[in-house]
Amino acid sequence: CTQPYTRTRASIQEARSESMADNDDRRVPVTVLTGFLGSGKTTLLNHILTATHGKKLAVIENEFGEVGIDDALLSKNTKMQTDEEIIEMMNGCICCTVRQDLVKVLTKLAKRIKAGTLKLDGIVIETTGMADPAPVAQTFFVDDTVKSFARLDGIVTLIDAKHIEQHLDEEKQEGVENEAVEQVAFADRMLLNKTDLVSESDLERVEARLRSINKFAPIQRCQQSKVSVDSVLDIRGFDLKRTLEMDPEFLNTDGEHEHDQTVTSLSITQPGSVDLDMVEQWVSKILQTKGNDIFRMKGVLSISHADEKFVYQAVHMIFSGSFAEPWGAQE
């Protein structure tokens, strides 16, 4: 889609100089969490929200489907850290169709900070797995209000060690972006997740492939997205000069990008409780027959004779589920 901004040569030079943020920069640091569907972004965000770091964070979260699953999974942990509610932008890609919503949300935060009614130590943006991170990053250099109060601290890309190669190798139609490649290329830090699912030789091959796309971003291995908060927040990793050298059109907001229209989502919302054994049999059959075509599956179920939520997720044919906190009175 075409973005409604234009930039002059002078303003691009201005953006270059403003990107050289030093330690005296008082703007709110913004971390963009990206990565293909099922890479572990929400799990990482949960770790950040439950870790002891004393930071007040605002979370902007974007989902690919029509029903917000992550909102339900994250809201309790968000309230543990800050009085801020999760700000969710549903049913659209943050890099195009709801990008203006992102600008509006950031502008509202800026006004509250300026008025003294809100203090933030950081903002975390979790993009949908189908998002190209470049237009999201671009927002912090092309909108005057946004760039005056917030700085892009870093793009952190989660990578599924078991499935990343097939996504990088996927052939797209002419003019259609390979989002997995873009997410690796624009990363300031790569978290190679799910390392327990592959061998050491597999990891070495994957790391070599990632470095062939992005030789600058450090690669950190992890399992279940468990990393130190310090390796994700306030890393001062984004370098506009280097980004412009890689992509001279980075600040050209008149360009278009096109997503793969063969990737769609399906959401099911149904009141009542279900039988766990029957659900597992049904999901098992689906994954056995259609697993290669299912990039991501996640949900929250009410199980008969159980007071707790049953949270499940699957990436291709790998499925996991467990009981979480009890259902609330109004849920």
Side-chain angles (χ1 to χ4, degrees), residues 159-166 168-169 184 190 192 195 197-213 219 221:
I159 296 163
D160 181 343
K162 185 172 179 63
H163 299 108
I164 184 61
E165 289 176 296
Q166 71 183 80
L168 293 176
D169 291 336
V184 171
M190 290 184 273
L192 186 54
T195 57
L197 301 181
V198 296
S199 65
E200 178 63 28
S201 61
D202 290 333
L203 289 173
E204 292 175 357
R205 184 183 66 253
V206 168
E207 287 176 339
R209 179 72 180 278
L210 297 175
R211 290 193 182 97
S212 72
I213 300 173
I219 301 174
R221 297 182 181 184

Side-chain angles (χ1 to χ4, degrees), residues 172-178 256-260:
K172 303 285 187 176
Q173 297 177 357
E174 184 177 354
V176 176
E177 294 179 341
N178 185 320
E256 296 183 357
H257 67 282
E258 184 179 349
H259 289 291
D260 187 349

Side-chain angles (χ1 to χ4, degrees), residues 48-49 100 113 131 149 162 190 194 231 264-265 285 295 303 313 321:
I48 294 173
L49 294 176
Q100 286 303 304
I113 291 174
F149 100 98
K162 185 172 179 63
M190 290 184 273
K194 306 184 183 182
S231 66
T264 60
S265 66
K285 183 177 180 180
F295 291 157
I303 303 300
Q313 55 185 329

